[in-house]
Amino acid sequence: MRKPQPFPHAVAIVGVGMSKFGAFPDKSSRDLFVEAFRELRATVDKGFDPAVIESLYLGNFSSDLFEGQGHMAPIMADAVGLCPVPAMRLEDACASGGVALRQGVLAVASGMQDVVLVGGAERMTKLPTAQVTDTLGAAADTLFEIPAGFTFPGFYAAIATAYMHRYGMTPEHLMNVAIKNHENGALNPKAQFGVTIPDWMQGRIAAAVKKGKPAPTWRDQWDFLHDNAANPMVAWPLRLFDCSPVTDGAACVLLVSGERAREFTDNPVYIIGAGQASDAALHDRADLTTLSAARGAAAQAYEQAGVRASDIRIAEVHDCFTIAEIIASEDLGFFAPGTGYRAAEDGMTARDGARPINTSGGLKSKGHPVGASGVGQAIEVFKQMRGEAGARQVAGDVPLAVTHNVGATGSTCVVHVYERR
Ligand code: COA
């Protein structure tokens, strides 16, 4: 494979927008995308005319099955007034948003385009959970895996089991990830679950009292997380609070060439590395405790950017299940294989830790509208790097950051490196 080269043209993010993530029975993904685009327009510091946008790259996994609407890219382009510019939908399962971002980056980096819109959207909650599970299952190997009874919680349970067996991790270690991400999500007004686990417990107690039922008597959040009624097993060892939820949401970012960035803002955030790699489906892998596509994508992105893992200040990673965040923290080179769970336990990945991960709340708490998630990650990094993340802002400068977006069980992974100059 060709050695990654620095981009011929610099690529900057100059504006971002996202809908709230959650369950919105009265909104289509089109409505959510319009909300996201309106917010983007308001965040471009010097304003801009949407007529300068040359293309739309849209991440969307399966609007066909989730909403009965295929061919989503031109529909979204029309909804935000971009027709007749070219609009294309990128589909790589839960990495669709990150892959769309990389295509937009390559278009600008090549010099072919100066201003592109990258978006992502998914409306999942129209279907009941069982059908959502089947629809997501289409991203796995439907010849060898799904007929064997696998679902996505089941795949990641297999990954967690292999990791526990090799490295001695326990299910309690996974709970550290859920607790941290809910703490972060509680500070994110766009998060689906914008509450800490203790607040969640209080809500449950208040609801029980209101209904005249006996109030639960959990000692603390650990007790709550071990309660089979409050936090049921989904696929051993993964419980409800180890899973990302089913989510509706949309997100978009405006990419422009470095030459033109200052027309839009004096505070651009540059993307300096964009790696992507593929792998066989999970059943065909020798090692379940690492995602080789993530390691490959990270290696490419770091080399292109001329940085090392140790240079990165914060990361938004694909925590579709708690185990996925632990493995991501190792695949990105932050922690040695088999030590990511200890780093989470020691608070190293907390907002005030040495390497904050998922300050947005991650997919676990912010929500996971699969086609939009990768774009949502870029938005969090943009805000943190500009010091605009509000109550969840990390201390000090954020000169370098990373996003890591996974499709299925790691058959696709895309990693971006961001720089604040
Ligand atoms: N974490 C914490 N609580 C959750 C939750 C989650 N991920 N998902 C739902 N809940 C809560 C709901 O808020 C609701 O709480 P309430 O009773 O206080 O209102 C309760 O659990 C039941 O919600 P419901 O939507 O009926 O849950 P469900 O049992 O149908 O679905 C999962 C739960 C975990 C099966 C579903 O969220 C899921 O499939 N997640 C994984 C999605 C996925 O695979 N994505 C792709 C990854 S690659």
Side-chain angles (χ1 to χ4, degrees):
M1 212 159 73
R2 192 165 172 243
K3 207 166 136 32
Q5 304 291 320
F7 295 140
H9 296 266
V11 182
I13 306 182
V14 296
V16 300
M18 64 186 275
S19 70
K20 187 168 162 51
F21 284 5
F24 304 110
D26 300 331
K27 291 181 183 176
S28 67
S29 54
R30 208 176 307 204
D31 299 324
L32 296 167
F33 191 67
V34 169
E35 264 176 56
F37 186 69
R38 280 203 184 119
E39 184 177 275
L40 179 149
R41 287 194 67 175
T43 66
V44 176
D45 298 327
K46 298 183 183 176
F48 80 108
D49 180 352
V52 298
I53 294 174
E54 294 163 87
S55 278
L56 166 64
Y57 296 87
L58 181 80
N60 173 257
F61 167 52
S62 199
S63 56
D64 327 51
L65 297 175
F66 283 130
E67 285 186 275
Q69 173 65 69
H71 203 188
M72 201 49 125
I75 286 183
M76 295 302 200
D78 182 42
V80 298
L82 296 187
C83 290
V85 304
M88 49 250 106
R89 164 178 161 186
L90 284 300
E91 190 274 298
D92 269 305
C94 305
S96 299
V99 168
L101 178 60
R102 185 165 175 274
Q103 291 305 306
V105 167
L106 296 181
V108 175
S110 68
M112 295 302 290
Q113 297 191 323
D114 271 335
V115 185
V116 307
L117 182 67
V118 173
E122 207 81 55
R123 179 168 177 230
M124 302 169 72
T125 69
K126 194 173 168 198
L127 297 182
T129 304
Q131 267 177 274
V132 170
T133 304
D134 287 349
T135 301
L136 291 170
D141 186 329
T142 59
L143 187 56
F144 294 113
E145 293 178 335
I146 298 303
F150 271 96
T151 60
F152 269 93
F155 285 122
Y156 278 88
I159 291 173
T161 308
Y163 187 100
M164 286 163 64
H165 178 68
R166 178 171 298 174
Y167 296 120
M169 184 187 75
T170 66
E172 283 67 33
H173 288 108
L174 296 172
M175 293 174 181
N176 288 307
V177 176
I179 289 170
K180 168 186 70 72
N181 288 352
H182 274 273
E183 281 171 2
N184 290 343
L187 303 174
N188 185 350
K190 295 289 175 76
Q192 179 164 2
F193 296 141
V195 286
T196 63
I197 292 177
D199 288 344
W200 190 301
M201 291 158 56
Q202 287 310 318
R204 285 281 174 88
I205 291 169
V209 170
K210 199 170 164 195
K211 286 185 190 156
K213 292 188 174 168
T217 52
W218 302 296
R219 285 187 304 282
D220 54 25
Q221 55 186 339
W222 292 95
D223 198 25
F224 171 84
L225 291 173
H226 281 96
D227 178 347
N228 289 329
N231 188 22
M233 201 59 76
V234 175
W236 192 91
L238 304 179
R239 293 171 179 266
L240 184 64
F241 277 76
D242 291 298
C243 305
S244 59
V246 174
T247 309
D248 306 326
C252 54
V253 301
L254 190 65
L255 299 182
V256 307
S257 60
E259 292 89 334
R260 294 194 46 194
R262 304 275 161 183
E263 286 174 33
F264 297 80
T265 178
D266 291 329
N267 264 330
V269 167
Y270 292 89
I271 297 184
I272 58 172
Q276 184 177 336
S278 313
D279 195 7
L282 192 75
H283 71 277
D284 237 355
R285 293 187 207 151
D287 186 351
L288 302 192
T289 64
T290 176
L291 306 188
S292 77
R295 284 185 283 117
Q300 285 170 37
Y302 291 159
E303 185 167 359
Q304 186 164 47
V307 302
R308 289 166 308 181
S310 55
D311 300 327
I312 305 298
R313 172 83 178 95
I314 62 165
E316 285 287 301
V317 310
H318 196 95
D319 60 323
C320 52
F321 298 91
T322 47
I323 181 63
E325 175 170 316
I326 287 169
I327 290 180
S329 71
E330 299 174 8
D331 289 339
L332 288 168
F334 301 152
F335 309 115
T339 65
Y341 73 95
R342 294 261 179 229
E345 182 179 37
D346 294 345
M348 293 181 74
T349 56
R351 264 194 341 280
D352 58 356
R355 178 67 53 72
I357 290 183
N358 285 336
T359 55
S360 68
L363 314 184
K364 170 67 200 83
S365 168
K366 185 176 59 175
H368 185 20
V370 291
S373 294
V375 183
Q377 293 176 328
I379 293 177
E380 177 67 8
V381 159
F382 178 85
K383 290 190 172 172
Q384 289 283 353
M385 296 185 98
R386 297 193 352 153
E388 294 171 351
R392 63 185 190 283
Q393 181 67 44
V394 298
D397 285 344
V398 183
L400 287 167
V402 152
T403 57
H404 156 283
N405 188 201
V406 172
T409 50
S411 304
T412 299
C413 186
V414 56
V415 171
H416 287 93
V417 178
Y418 304 74
E419 183 184 40
R420 181 83 198 284
R421 294 180 186 155

